[in-house]
Amino acid sequence: MQELVERIRQKKNFVVTSHVNPDGDNIGSSVAMTRYLRSIGKDAVHILDDDIPENLKFLLSDHEILRSDRMQDNKLGLDSYDLIVVDCSVENRIAIAPNIIEEADCVLNIDHHMSNTNFGDINFILPEVSSTCEVLTGVLRNIDEDAIGESVATALYTGISTDTGNFLFPAVNEKTFQTAAFLTTKGADRVTIANELYRNESLESRKLTRLVLETFQIENRVGMIVMTQAMLEESGVDYKDTDFIANIPIDTKGVSVGILIKERAEGEYKISVRSKERVDVCEIAKKFDGGGHYHASGCTICGEISEVIEQLQKVSEEQILKDLGNG
Ligand code: 5GP
Ligand code: MN
């Protein structure tokens, strides 16, 4: 932690980014990092080359995220900067042009994924912590706790909330609640944040849920649902706004591994895998070159949908047997 804190104290210019397919912990930690740096007198640019989910845009009312894929030759025009990457486990998921990574003086990698590859020059990874926002709160308190203002606290609280299923997942512990409580004293309004995140579904997304639920099957403690491009078209929901369906299978009685298969393009499927007991779903995702956490992981599989389902079913059953046995 001290090496990271000293580096941030010394340096003047920063670029902050996170992973592709942004979620609440990604946007929360990258917004918080950028705004915090500015509040302690640094120059910070926030870059993320992907679309932002609608339900997180309340964090961006007076905050701009730039896209390097829309810049001329991906040129930043900064001579000397450090790149801070938050919530990203591997280099090839960083949502920024590769030359901006290469040209950085130092890459600071702040994360909580157990599959993090330590791609940074300085790596601060706490795999047992609920969220990158919880990790980051500790870092920012170490730099200067008084500089954490309302907008930074709101962004940090948001990431903790979304990465824990609003304080539901097993990674939540006493420290998580203490961190969240601290952030409320810094101005994070938990009711407003919860309303923005969880109590604001569109009628279209409810329709998508109905279509997706028709595919729901449970076999040998593996629950699976499929979302197709045709369902997105019929309901009118955008692909980037579909994270909310990932927990439907695992939130069901008798399901030990819950899987969402999302058709991203023809023959290309984005997989979300979840567990709630002692089943290591990161092991399942790793079999398909993915990664993530013990209870929440993801990967991408290309091929025929029937084969994708068959492979996932087989690997999941094996993992359940290994971790839970027949009981
Ligand atoms: P989700 O299912 O919500 O997309 O992702 C769950 C967790 O797994 C997140 O922490 C995410 O960063 C990680 N994850 C999702 N997809 C991939 C992937 O393709 N590769 C790796 N390494 N991690 C992933
Ligand atoms: Mn995270």
Side-chain angles (χ1 to χ4, degrees), residues 130 134 141 157 160 164 166-185:
S130 76
E134 187 179 336
R141 290 182 82 166
Y157 185 102
I160 295 174
T164 59
N166 206 19
F167 304 95
L168 195 72
F169 300 160
V172 173
N173 59 26
E174 196 183 332
K175 186 89 193 302
T176 317
F177 285 114
Q178 282 165 352
T179 305
F182 164 76
L183 293 170
T184 64
T185 70

Side-chain angles (χ1 to χ4, degrees), residues 23-25 27-28 53-59 154-167 189-202 206 243-244:
D23 57 17
D25 198 27
I27 300 298
E54 288 305 318
N55 68 342
L56 297 171
K57 288 193 174 159
F58 74 101
L59 293 177
T154 300
L156 291 170
Y157 185 102
T158 296
I160 295 174
S161 171
T162 56
D163 249 33
T164 59
N166 206 19
F167 304 95
D189 180 347
R190 64 175 185 84
V191 174
T192 305
I193 295 170
N195 286 348
E196 291 282 357
L197 293 173
Y198 311 111
R199 319 195 78 180
N200 207 16
E201 288 302 337
S202 63
R206 295 301 187 208
D243 264 6
F244 71 98

Side-chain angles (χ1 to χ4, degrees), residues 268-284:
E268 184 190 326
Y269 297 94
K270 165 77 182 69
I271 316 296
S272 290
V273 201
R274 303 285 187 265
S275 68
K276 59 195 171 200
E277 309 149 291
R278 289 181 38 77
V279 181
D280 186 354
V281 295
C282 192
E283 286 300 315
I284 298 173

Side-chain angles (χ1 to χ4, degrees), residues 72-207:
Q72 194 87 37
D73 301 325
N74 303 331
K75 281 284 176 228
L76 260 185
L78 276 178
D79 279 345
S80 163
Y81 60 89
D82 278 7
L83 176 68
I84 303 185
V85 184
V86 286
D87 197 41
C88 185
S89 58
V90 279
E91 196 157 6
N92 66 10
R93 300 192 82 225
I94 304 177
I96 204 165
N99 66 294
I100 298 177
I101 306 173
E102 283 154 24
E103 289 161 21
D105 294 334
C106 184
V107 175
L108 314 182
N109 173 12
I110 305 173
D111 189 28
H112 72 129
H113 290 91
M114 64 178 177
S115 57
N116 193 292
T117 56
N118 291 315
F119 57 80
D121 299 306
I122 296 176
N123 300 289
F124 188 63
I125 320 296
L126 300 179
E128 70 283 5
V129 175
S130 76
S131 51
T132 298
C133 280
E134 187 179 336
V135 176
L136 189 58
T137 305
V139 174
L140 303 189
R141 290 182 82 166
N142 210 293
I143 298 171
D144 179 5
E145 185 171 305
D146 294 338
I148 299 175
E150 185 186 328
S151 65
V152 171
T154 300
L156 291 170
Y157 185 102
T158 296
I160 295 174
S161 171
T162 56
D163 249 33
T164 59
N166 206 19
F167 304 95
L168 195 72
F169 300 160
V172 173
N173 59 26
E174 196 183 332
K175 186 89 193 302
T176 317
F177 285 114
Q178 282 165 352
T179 305
F182 164 76
L183 293 170
T184 64
T185 70
K186 290 289 185 181
D189 180 347
R190 64 175 185 84
V191 174
T192 305
I193 295 170
N195 286 348
E196 291 282 357
L197 293 173
Y198 311 111
R199 319 195 78 180
N200 207 16
E201 288 302 337
S202 63
L203 189 57
E204 287 81 5
S205 71
R206 295 301 187 208
K207 189 169 177 185

Side-chain angles (χ1 to χ4, degrees), residues 275-307:
S275 68
K276 59 195 171 200
E277 309 149 291
R278 289 181 38 77
V279 181
D280 186 354
V281 295
C282 192
E283 286 300 315
I284 298 173
K286 276 197 215 154
K287 298 241 161 62
F288 304 98
D289 289 327
H293 310 284
Y294 193 97
H295 294 286
S297 284
C299 57
T300 295
I301 309 180
C302 294
E304 276 290 315
I305 183 67
S306 57
E307 285 167 21

